Amino acid sequence: MTSAPPLSRDEARALVTADLDTLLLEAGRARQRRFGNRVHLCAITNARSGSCSEDCAFCAQSAHSRAASPAHAMRAADELVRDAREADRQCVSCFGMVTSGRAAVTGDERARLLDALRTARGSMRACVSASIGALDDGIIAALKDAGITRIHHNLETSRRFFPRICTTHSYDERLDTVRRALAAGLDVCCGGLFGMGEEWDDRIDLAFELRGLGIRSVPVNFLNPVAGTHLAAQPLLDPREALRIIAVFRLILPDAHISVAGGRQVVLRDLQSWIFHAGASGMMIGNYLTTAGRNVDDDLAMLADLGLEPEGK
Ligand code: SF4
C-alpha cells in the first residue's frame, strides 16, 4: 500500500477550520493504520528540580517565577533507578530522567545522573531517556557511553513565538541540541506546549519544523497555568481545541508517535479518552515534573476500555 503524500502547509491550515468530527475521524484512522491498537506510554521523574536560570514563562522551576515549586539538587542515583523500575513495571515504553537548568549538569551531579541512567538502562526493558537541557558533544558522548539512545528536548513552539515565552536562550540553541543529538545517532523526543497564547500558524510551524528534522516521537503538552509563573493568568485551552491540535499534528506527522503529556487532565477533563480518536498514539502516565498526574491504574483501565494495549506490555 502506498502512503499518502505529506500534507502541504495549505492543507494543514485548512484543518484549522475543518469540521471537528470529520477531522477526528480522519486522524483517528491515521493512528489506527500506523499503530493499530498499540500505544506508547512514557513516564518521567524530576531528578533535579527548580532554581533554573532561564525565564521560560510557563515553568514553575524558573528562578524568574514566584511559583511555590519544589527545588532540590540531584537526587540519589538509587532513588532515580527505583522510579525507573517502577515505571517499567507499569509497561512504559520509555522512562525519562529530567533535570532543571539551561545546560546539562556538571561535576558530582553529572556523575550521579550518569550512574543512574546506566544502572536503569542495564536493568529494565523500557528505553531510558535523558532530558537534561542543552547538550554539547561531550555530554552526548557520555550519555551514549552510559547506554542511552534517546534524549528529550522540546522546541516548545514556533521560532516566531518563542521569544514571547523565553528571552534567556534562543530557538536556535534549542535546535542546536536537537540537531547535535540526531547527528550523533540518538533518537530525539521533541515536541511542544500549547495554550500559551500562540496562534495556529505557530502550531503548524512547529509541526513542520519537527517533520523537517525527522522527529519520530512528539510530546504534546497543554499549558496548566501555575500560580506565580508568567503565564498564570492564561486561560485553559478548550478541550475540543486541544483535540484539534492532536489531530493536526497526527496528519502532519503520520509516522511519528504523538504522545499527550502535561496538562492532559486539566485541559481535556472528560474528553481524555478522546485523545486516541484524535490521533494520539501515546500518553505520559504518572506524575509530571511539578504537578500531579492521574492515577496510573485509571489510565491503564481507560486503555483497556478503549481496546488499546501498551506497546511495552
Ligand atoms: S523549561 Fe527548563 S530551561 Fe526553561 S525555566 Fe523550566 S527548567 Fe529552566
Side-chain angles (χ1 to χ4, degrees), residues 10-19 23 200-201 203-204 241 244 248:
D10 284 345
E11 288 168 329
R13 282 199 190 95
L15 301 177
V16 175
T17 50
D19 173 70
L23 175 64
W200 267 104
D201 274 348
R203 297 166 184 169
I204 290 171
E241 182 159 9
R244 188 181 292 273
V248 169

Side-chain angles (χ1 to χ4, degrees), residues 1 4 25-36 251 254:
M1 193 170 69
L25 197 62
E26 195 183 341
R29 282 186 179 150
R31 174 195 64 76
Q32 175 71 33
R33 271 197 305 275
R34 178 66 181 79
F35 299 103
L251 295 175

Side-chain angles (χ1 to χ4, degrees), residues 52 54-56 58-59 61-62 99-102 156 169 174:
C52 179
E54 305 306 285
D55 68 353
C56 305
F58 53 85
C59 184
Q61 300 191 68
S62 166
T99 58
S100 60
R102 177 180 187 142
E156 306 298 8
H169 62 268
R174 289 199 170 245

